[in-house]
Short mmCIF file of all heavy atoms in Angstrom, two decimals:
data_model
loop_
_atom_site.label_atom_id
_atom_site.label_comp_id
_atom_site.label_asym_id
_atom_site.label_seq_id
_atom_site.Cartn_x
_atom_site.Cartn_y
_atom_site.Cartn_z
N ALA A 201 -6.91 -0.97 47.96
CA ALA A 201 -5.64 -1.44 47.42
C ALA A 201 -4.48 -0.78 48.22
O ALA A 201 -3.47 -1.44 48.49
CB ALA A 201 -5.52 -1.07 45.95
N LEU A 202 -4.59 0.50 48.55
CA LEU A 202 -3.51 1.16 49.29
C LEU A 202 -3.40 0.65 50.73
O LEU A 202 -2.29 0.56 51.28
CB LEU A 202 -3.78 2.66 49.31
CG LEU A 202 -3.56 3.37 47.97
CD1 LEU A 202 -3.96 4.85 48.10
CD2 LEU A 202 -2.08 3.28 47.49
N VAL A 203 -4.52 0.26 51.29
CA VAL A 203 -4.49 -0.40 52.60
C VAL A 203 -3.74 -1.73 52.54
O VAL A 203 -2.94 -2.05 53.40
CB VAL A 203 -5.89 -0.59 53.18
CG1 VAL A 203 -5.88 -1.45 54.40
CG2 VAL A 203 -6.55 0.72 53.50
N PHE A 204 -4.00 -2.47 51.48
CA PHE A 204 -3.26 -3.72 51.26
C PHE A 204 -1.79 -3.47 51.06
O PHE A 204 -0.93 -4.17 51.56
CB PHE A 204 -3.89 -4.47 50.07
CG PHE A 204 -3.23 -5.77 49.76
CD1 PHE A 204 -3.31 -6.83 50.62
CD2 PHE A 204 -2.52 -5.90 48.59
CE1 PHE A 204 -2.68 -8.02 50.34
CE2 PHE A 204 -1.88 -7.13 48.29
CZ PHE A 204 -1.97 -8.19 49.15
N ARG A 205 -1.45 -2.41 50.30
CA ARG A 205 -0.07 -2.07 50.12
C ARG A 205 0.63 -1.75 51.43
O ARG A 205 1.80 -2.10 51.65
CB ARG A 205 0.04 -0.85 49.16
CG ARG A 205 1.51 -0.51 48.80
CD ARG A 205 1.67 0.76 48.00
NE ARG A 205 1.41 1.94 48.79
CZ ARG A 205 1.69 3.17 48.35
NH1 ARG A 205 2.20 3.37 47.15
NH2 ARG A 205 1.42 4.22 49.10
N ASP A 206 -0.11 -1.06 52.31
CA ASP A 206 0.48 -0.75 53.63
C ASP A 206 0.83 -1.98 54.41
O ASP A 206 1.85 -2.05 55.13
CB ASP A 206 -0.55 0.13 54.43
CG ASP A 206 0.10 0.94 55.50
OD1 ASP A 206 1.27 1.38 55.32
OD2 ASP A 206 -0.53 1.12 56.57
N LYS A 207 -0.02 -3.04 54.28
CA LYS A 207 0.32 -4.31 54.95
C LYS A 207 1.53 -4.99 54.34
O LYS A 207 2.32 -5.56 55.04
CB LYS A 207 -0.92 -5.25 54.83
CG LYS A 207 -2.12 -4.72 55.61
CD LYS A 207 -3.30 -5.68 55.41
CE LYS A 207 -4.52 -5.18 56.22
NZ LYS A 207 -5.73 -6.09 56.03
N LEU A 208 1.68 -4.87 53.01
CA LEU A 208 2.88 -5.43 52.36
C LEU A 208 4.12 -4.67 52.79
O LEU A 208 5.18 -5.29 53.03
CB LEU A 208 2.70 -5.33 50.83
CG LEU A 208 1.65 -6.22 50.22
CD1 LEU A 208 1.56 -5.96 48.68
CD2 LEU A 208 1.85 -7.69 50.48
N LEU A 209 4.04 -3.36 52.95
CA LEU A 209 5.18 -2.57 53.41
C LEU A 209 5.56 -2.99 54.84
O LEU A 209 6.73 -3.02 55.17
CB LEU A 209 4.83 -1.08 53.39
CG LEU A 209 4.71 -0.49 51.98
CD1 LEU A 209 4.15 0.93 52.06
CD2 LEU A 209 6.04 -0.45 51.26
N GLN A 210 4.56 -3.32 55.64
CA GLN A 210 4.82 -3.76 56.99
C GLN A 210 5.58 -5.05 57.01
O GLN A 210 6.48 -5.28 57.85
CB GLN A 210 3.51 -3.90 57.79
CG GLN A 210 3.68 -4.27 59.22
CD GLN A 210 4.52 -3.26 60.03
OE1 GLN A 210 4.28 -2.07 59.90
NE2 GLN A 210 5.49 -3.73 60.80
N ARG A 211 5.35 -5.89 56.00
CA ARG A 211 6.07 -7.16 55.91
C ARG A 211 7.56 -6.91 55.61
O ARG A 211 8.41 -7.69 56.05
CB ARG A 211 5.43 -8.03 54.80
CG ARG A 211 4.00 -8.49 55.13
CD ARG A 211 3.56 -9.54 54.14
NE ARG A 211 4.34 -10.74 54.17
CZ ARG A 211 4.13 -11.80 53.38
NH1 ARG A 211 3.12 -11.76 52.48
NH2 ARG A 211 4.87 -12.87 53.46
N PHE A 212 7.86 -5.88 54.80
CA PHE A 212 9.25 -5.52 54.61
C PHE A 212 9.94 -5.20 55.92
O PHE A 212 11.08 -5.62 56.18
CB PHE A 212 9.37 -4.34 53.64
CG PHE A 212 9.14 -4.66 52.21
CD1 PHE A 212 8.68 -3.69 51.35
CD2 PHE A 212 9.32 -5.94 51.73
CE1 PHE A 212 8.45 -4.01 50.00
CE2 PHE A 212 9.06 -6.28 50.38
CZ PHE A 212 8.65 -5.25 49.53
N SER A 213 9.25 -4.45 56.76
CA SER A 213 9.82 -4.09 58.09
C SER A 213 10.01 -5.34 58.91
O SER A 213 11.02 -5.50 59.62
CB SER A 213 8.89 -3.08 58.81
OG SER A 213 8.76 -1.92 58.09
N ASP A 214 9.05 -6.27 58.87
CA ASP A 214 9.14 -7.47 59.64
C ASP A 214 10.32 -8.36 59.21
O ASP A 214 10.81 -9.16 60.00
CB ASP A 214 7.84 -8.28 59.54
CG ASP A 214 6.65 -7.56 60.14
OD1 ASP A 214 6.88 -6.63 60.97
OD2 ASP A 214 5.46 -7.87 59.81
N MET A 215 10.69 -8.21 57.93
CA MET A 215 11.81 -9.04 57.39
C MET A 215 13.14 -8.41 57.69
O MET A 215 14.21 -8.93 57.24
CB MET A 215 11.65 -9.22 55.87
CG MET A 215 10.55 -10.21 55.50
SD MET A 215 10.52 -10.63 53.73
CE MET A 215 9.78 -9.17 53.04
N GLY A 216 13.17 -7.25 58.35
CA GLY A 216 14.41 -6.67 58.78
C GLY A 216 14.90 -5.47 57.95
O GLY A 216 15.99 -4.94 58.24
#
Side-chain angles (χ1 to χ4, degrees):
L202 290 174
V203 170
F204 179 68
R205 184 186 74 168
D206 202 33
K207 294 179 180 178
L208 295 178
L209 291 171
Q210 184 59 46
R211 293 188 64 181
F212 285 154
S213 299
D214 296 340
M215 285 188 286

